Amino acid sequence: MSRVYNFSAGPAVLPEEVLKEAAEEMLDYRGTGMSVMEMSHRSKAYETIIREAEADLRELMNIPDNYKVLFLQGGASQQFAMIPMNLMKNGVADYIVTGQWAKKAYQEACIYGKANKIASSEDQTFSYIPDCSDLPISEDADYVYICENNTIYGTKFKTLPNTKGKTLVADVSSCFLSEPVDVTQYGVIYGGVQKNIGPAGVVIVIIREDLITEDVLPGTPTMLRYKIHADNGSLYNTPPAYGIYICGKVFKWLKKQGGLEAMKAHNEKKAAILYDFLDQSGLFKGTVRKEDRSLMNVPFVTGDEELDAKFVKEAKAAGFENLKGHRTVGGMRASIYNAMPIEGVEKLVEFMKKFEAENR
Ligand SMILES: *Cc1c(COP(=O)(O)O)cnc(C)c1O
């Protein structure tokens, strides 16, 4: 068996320890004589799995009691619709557009009500986070929406926008559990888990209880109502059971690493290795304004498309996978999520140095 260094933006690298443990439990989960994949989601064994996963996530993120944790399906993209359907009481919401994902969320919200684009960084291909300290927040906005870490462009909100008292809704798909957050600053925090937590198929929604009501847009399907999932403990219908089980293992792994404070320190150290190299390289350069750099997704270019392609090809041959940039951006992108070990980044930088020496 040989494992590569996987820099994929998602689905992405998972802790090896977690995969091994899941492999050991594959055929017989703790004496049940069956795999978690084969188990009723109403069984005692599964009930324990999902409730423990929730409890561990609550502990990791210090989630207050007046927030619900929902394990749903449909990916982050389904939340683009679910959020306006459930939260647009006045039919108005403000969107800060800092990348493709925020733009898609904004476009989806336009289907359901009056969505206002109150700030954008599209003028410079989303390479920075706009100043959000004094935005023209709409009087009657039901919420203000952000994508906190922009997976494709590699930017991150270092301070949350001033929402002037309005509810903040954040897509944290690609920075979920990468550092501590103050949950009380948000009305809704959500993300697809396939970036920084687990396998594709699960989306986690952390939502303040007062936002969960029967008062949703007319025509909202039952499955797209937060209330039905909250009232049923994420077991209204069959949940993505195996995916939640793996997420639960990752939560335990994170606790063992020292929790989110420790992950933040680890992630800062790891990202600095790559950014410090990019800042002094004569060949490679980062594409994002320095103060807005993501700790999770690091896009970079040589400035020459052919050389970029050569780099991606040679890197792959050397065991560094999925370094090709997003199809809309080009160049390279290294996604260095929680589960990417420090030596993966150290070895990548060594390889980049060698490539630079050979291609000057
Ligand atoms: C990947 C991603 C999405 C889309 O996720 P799906 O689960 O494929 O719908 C949305 N937002 C962000 C920030 C992402 O990184």
Side-chain angles (χ1 to χ4, degrees), residues 185-321:
Q185 298 295 301
Y186 305 79
V188 180
I189 306 179
Y190 80 93
V193 305
Q194 74 273 24
K195 308 291 161 67
N196 204 21
I197 302 179
V202 184
V203 56
I204 298 175
V205 178
I206 300 161
I207 178 169
R208 213 175 56 224
E209 268 168 1
D210 61 283
L211 298 170
I212 305 173
T213 67
E214 305 269 16
D215 176 23
V216 297
L217 294 188
T220 301
T222 305
M223 274 295 285
L224 298 189
R225 296 168 188 234
Y226 289 126
K227 191 161 192 317
I228 200 87
H229 296 291
D231 286 351
N232 290 279
S234 302
L235 292 167
Y236 169 68
N237 71 323
T238 318
Y242 194 80
I244 294 167
Y245 155 76
I246 299 291
C247 291
K249 288 201 180 301
V250 172
F251 301 152
K252 291 205 187 295
W253 178 80
L254 286 167
K255 282 169 67 177
K256 223 160 72 182
Q257 306 304 304
L260 301 192
E261 284 292 350
M263 285 324 291
K264 180 177 198 238
H266 179 78
N267 288 327
E268 282 174 343
K269 189 173 159 202
K270 205 165 61 179
I273 297 169
L274 188 47
Y275 284 125
D276 288 349
F277 169 71
L278 289 171
D279 287 343
Q280 60 73 58
S281 169
L283 179 66
F284 298 101
K285 60 173 190 298
T287 56
V288 164
R289 186 165 76 181
K290 272 190 193 176
E291 56 269 39
D292 301 325
R293 283 171 164 175
S294 164
L295 292 179
M296 297 282 101
N297 310 97
V298 184
F300 55 96
V301 294
T302 65
D304 174 340
E305 274 181 37
E306 268 176 42
L307 206 52
D308 287 350
K310 185 175 182 227
F311 175 79
V312 170
K313 189 167 168 236
E314 289 183 12
K316 183 178 168 69
F320 305 101
E321 287 274 353

Side-chain angles (χ1 to χ4, degrees), residues 43-169:
S43 65
K44 197 122 205 102
Y46 194 74
E47 183 71 23
T48 305
I49 289 171
I50 189 167
R51 296 287 76 98
E52 243 180 62
E54 178 178 343
D56 286 333
L57 181 63
R58 283 184 174 278
E59 187 184 328
L60 277 168
M61 291 181 72
N62 195 19
I63 300 173
D65 288 343
N66 64 325
Y67 285 75
K68 292 279 190 210
V69 174
L70 310 176
F71 296 98
L72 307 178
Q73 304 188 55
S77 299
Q78 185 162 281
Q79 294 306 307
F80 298 170
M82 218 165 149
I83 288 160
M85 286 177 139
N86 284 268
L87 266 50
M88 270 187 173
K89 315 289 183 200
N90 301 327
V92 180
D94 289 347
Y95 279 71
I96 299 174
V97 177
T98 53
Q100 296 275 3
W101 295 121
K103 193 174 174 178
K104 283 190 173 166
Y106 161 72
Q107 286 166 342
E108 190 73 13
C110 288
I111 298 173
Y112 302 102
K114 188 167 180 296
N116 304 304
K117 196 194 289 181
I118 55 166
S120 167
S121 52
E122 195 162 14
D123 60 333
Q124 290 173 43
T125 53
F126 298 122
S127 60
Y128 69 101
I129 299 289
D131 178 2
C132 298
S133 58
D134 186 19
L135 294 173
I137 308 286
S138 311
E139 286 272 298
D140 51 353
D142 292 301
Y143 59 90
V144 176
Y145 183 99
I146 62 167
C147 176
E148 194 161 333
N149 185 81
N150 296 283
T151 324
I152 296 173
Y153 300 94
T155 57
K156 158 113 206 290
F157 280 82
K158 299 295 162 79
T159 48
L160 294 175
N162 175 3
T163 64
K164 303 182 179 173
K166 302 296 183 192
T167 296
L168 179 64
V169 174

